[in-house]
Structure formats: structure tokens, C-alpha cells
Amino acid sequence: AAAALLWWEVAADAAAAAAAMGEMGITVRETVSQMLVLSETLHRERLLSGPSKCFLKELVLRQDPKALEAGNQLMLASTREEREAAMALLTSRIEEQAKATYDGLFEETDLTLAHQLASKDVDTMKEDGVDTRSFVYGEVSFAAFYEVLLAATAGMPRLGKFYDLGSGTGRAVFEAVRAAP
């Protein structure tokens, strides 16, 4: 029922966006095409990471009204302030999409089980004589770890690598991919 409700909400939003674009004399196909070109351009200019470009493309193909409006504002912006404001709106919508994807991936993740498995591994290492006093199990939060990764990787080449030894439930890996240039 929730999925059906979401589908109807998306369909209603897409219909509203299409109607608004039709009033302006712009077809849905033209808008989608322009937005896909915009996403590639923003990525090429390093204003969007690869994963952010993918999230934007998903929003565009679903004809998300907020993303289409922000993209349209960005394409029509004539001043630096207008471009920055439109880019902030677009980035915010992309972040909302990334968060929704993250929440969907991890909503049924049992952290208790993940912690038990990690503890079992540590116990095995202790039996093998490994000093495990510095070993810690914990999960990262969506926004905080992403910000840390962005700060840590500023100026790094595109082919930088991220190693998460243990990786828990995979949240850090998701964020590392999202933060990739």
C-alpha cells in the first residue's frame, strides 16, 4: 500500500510538473533532455560527484518537480547569486534523494546482529592472541561521515581508494561512494 501511495504521489507530481511546463510552452521531453545534459555538464565541471549525477538523473527521469524547477532556475540564472541559489536548491534535492536511498537500503538492517557478528570476530582474534583493545564497532550517520569524507578527500585525484576494513553493515561504503569525485 505504501509503494502504491508513493507511486501515485510521484505520478501526481509529474503530472503537475508536465502541466506547468506545458503552460510555458516546454515539452516534458525537452525538459528531461536539457536536465540530462545539465547533469553531465555539472559532473564534467566537478560541481556534482558521479553518484550525485546519478541521483539527479533518477530525479529527472521521474520528472521530480523540485529537481526540474531547480535545474530550470540554474539554466536560466543570469547572475552569480542566482546560479548559487539554484545550485543550492538542486544540491538539496539531490541530498534528499540520496538520504531516501540510504534509508531504504538500511531500514531493515539489524544493528544488534551486526554488532554480535563483529563481537564474535573480535573474540576469535583474542583467542588467536591479537590485541583487540583498540577495536571498536560502530555505525556512521548519514550526514556526518559524508562531511568528514568530503573534507578528507578535498583535492584528491578521482581514482582515490577507500578501504573500510570490516565494513559493518556497509553504511560507510555507501557514503564513500557518494563522496567520490
Side-chain angles (χ1 to χ4, degrees):
L5 179 60
L6 179 61
W7 183 86
W8 282 108
E9 290 173 0
V10 169
D13 286 348
M21 290 182 287
E23 290 172 13
M24 295 184 289
I26 303 170
T27 68
V28 172
R29 175 176 260 168
E30 290 170 331
T31 300
V32 168
S33 177
Q34 290 171 351
M35 286 293 296
L36 292 174
V37 170
L38 177 64
S39 70
E40 290 296 330
T41 302
L42 293 172
H43 177 64
R44 187 176 54 250
E45 297 297 322
R46 296 185 182 253
L47 297 171
L48 282 183
S49 67
S52 291
K53 176 184 78 168
C54 293
F55 286 124
L56 177 55
K57 284 183 172 183
E58 181 180 341
L59 290 166
V60 168
L61 293 174
R62 284 190 305 140
Q63 299 174 23
D64 179 85
K66 292 178 183 177
L68 295 177
E69 176 61 27
N72 191 45
Q73 287 178 18
L74 185 59
M75 289 185 279
L76 297 175
S78 59
T79 67
R80 180 177 175 210
E81 291 80 18
E82 289 174 349
R83 282 190 297 278
E84 288 174 357
M87 190 65 187
L89 284 172
L90 192 58
T91 302
S92 173
R93 187 64 189 113
I94 291 168
E95 288 301 308
E96 289 172 8
Q97 180 63 35
K99 177 74 166 113
T101 300
Y102 179 91
D103 289 344
L105 285 172
F106 298 110
E107 71 184 338
E108 295 185 24
T109 302
D110 183 353
L111 297 181
T112 304
L113 177 59
H115 190 267
Q116 289 171 349
L117 292 171
S119 296
K120 183 179 177 183
D121 288 343
V122 169
D123 290 343
T124 301
M125 289 180 199
K126 283 180 185 176
E127 291 171 5
D128 293 340
V130 175
D131 181 5
T132 61
R133 289 179 291 178
S134 65
F135 290 12
V136 176
Y137 180 84
E139 292 292 336
V140 299
S141 73
F142 179 77
F145 192 64
Y146 177 70
E147 293 300 321
V148 167
L149 286 172
L150 287 179
T153 60
M156 285 182 66
R158 273 195 120 136
L159 299 176
K161 297 201 178 358
F162 175 80
Y163 294 97
D164 182 18
L165 305 177
S167 74
T169 59
R171 286 179 163 100
V173 174
F174 180 93
E175 291 302 315
V177 169
R178 196 166 73 95

